[in-house]
Amino acid sequence: MDTCNNLKKGTKIGLIVMAVLICIGIVNLVLSFFIPADHNNPNVIAQLIIGAVMYASIIVYAFFGYKKAHGNMLRTVFFVFGAFIVASGIIGDPGLSEIHIKVCQFTTGLAALLIGYIAGRLDRIEKNKILMMIAGVLMLIGRVIVFVSDPSSIWRFVGVMEHLIVWASLGFAYVARYEEHKTAGLSDADA
């Protein structure tokens, strides 16, 4: 399979945009480790670790996982991402009010359920695109609440939006992989 030559123009542009956003997110994560806002708070450390594992799973998939002729690696990355956003929601963001925490946990939990459902049926791309957008909107609602409670800087915004950056990256990787397999003539079960 000739990677990226069989992709639609919109998918190629989306992959480039997501690669740039992932790089910005990684820079933000590294800066967060070295310029601590509150390294004495275990919630902050846990959020940084979750972010690092999310980005690491994207990098592993981007460089190695896509080469396999089946969707098991992508399915695993989807499940891992769902688990991490649930863990992130449970940990919560320091400084939020109780009602904000509950709304974030609710929207994140619903998004994680949708992500798990999508991961179990990767062969149904058209239906999954709609579900992926709904999961993204649910995550966006939770993340906007977090940012509005503390809009201190652009780097804070990038940190708050890291779930959406990773989710959009996974979405574009999924669509690109599906397009590659479809063009190569592989069956939906192989994608």
Side-chain angles (χ1 to χ4, degrees):
M1 194 165 34
D2 197 8
T3 306
C4 287
N5 288 339
N6 299 326
L7 298 178
K8 295 177 184 172
K9 185 177 180 180
T11 304
K12 286 181 184 180
I13 291 170
L15 287 171
I16 291 168
V17 169
M18 287 302 106
V20 169
L21 288 175
I22 287 288
C23 289
I24 291 170
I26 290 171
V27 166
N28 183 56
L29 185 70
V30 169
L31 289 175
S32 296
F33 274 111
F34 291 111
I35 306 170
D38 188 7
H39 273 195
N40 294 329
N41 186 337
N43 288 354
V44 171
I45 298 298
Q47 292 284 7
L48 290 174
I49 291 169
I50 287 170
V53 173
M54 282 192 309
Y55 285 124
S57 64
I58 289 290
I59 290 169
V60 167
Y61 181 75
F63 288 107
F64 309 109
Y66 74 92
K67 295 177 183 178
K68 303 225 182 235
H70 54 80
N72 287 340
M73 178 73 167
L74 184 59
R75 180 175 286 115
T76 301
V77 172
F78 270 49
F79 280 129
V80 167
F81 177 69
F84 285 133
I85 66 167
V86 166
S88 181
I90 290 170
I91 292 168
D93 202 287
L96 288 181
S97 70
E98 190 66 33
I99 188 71
H100 288 141
I101 290 172
K102 295 295 181 197
V103 170
C104 288
Q105 288 174 339
F106 178 74
T107 58
T108 301
L110 283 178
L113 284 173
L114 280 175
I115 291 167
Y117 182 71
I118 293 165
R121 50 191 299 254
L122 292 178
D123 60 325
R124 297 184 180 115
I125 192 164
E126 293 306 319
K127 291 179 183 176
N128 284 347
K129 284 180 182 178
I130 296 166
L131 295 175
M132 291 175 80
M133 285 188 249
I134 293 169
V137 168
L138 287 168
M139 282 188 278
L140 179 64
I141 291 168
R143 303 320 291 169
V144 165
I145 288 171
V146 172
F147 181 69
V148 168
S149 70
D150 180 20
S152 55
S153 71
I154 187 66
W155 293 109
R156 169 78 173 144
F157 177 75
V158 172
V160 165
M161 293 299 169
E162 77 181 353
H163 293 168
L164 286 168
I165 292 170
V166 173
W167 181 238
S169 300
L170 283 173
F172 276 109
Y174 169 51
V175 170
R177 179 179 180 82
Y178 194 88
E179 286 178 12
E180 284 283 328
H181 280 83
K182 189 174 180 180
T183 303
L186 298 175
S187 69
D188 289 347
D190 295 330

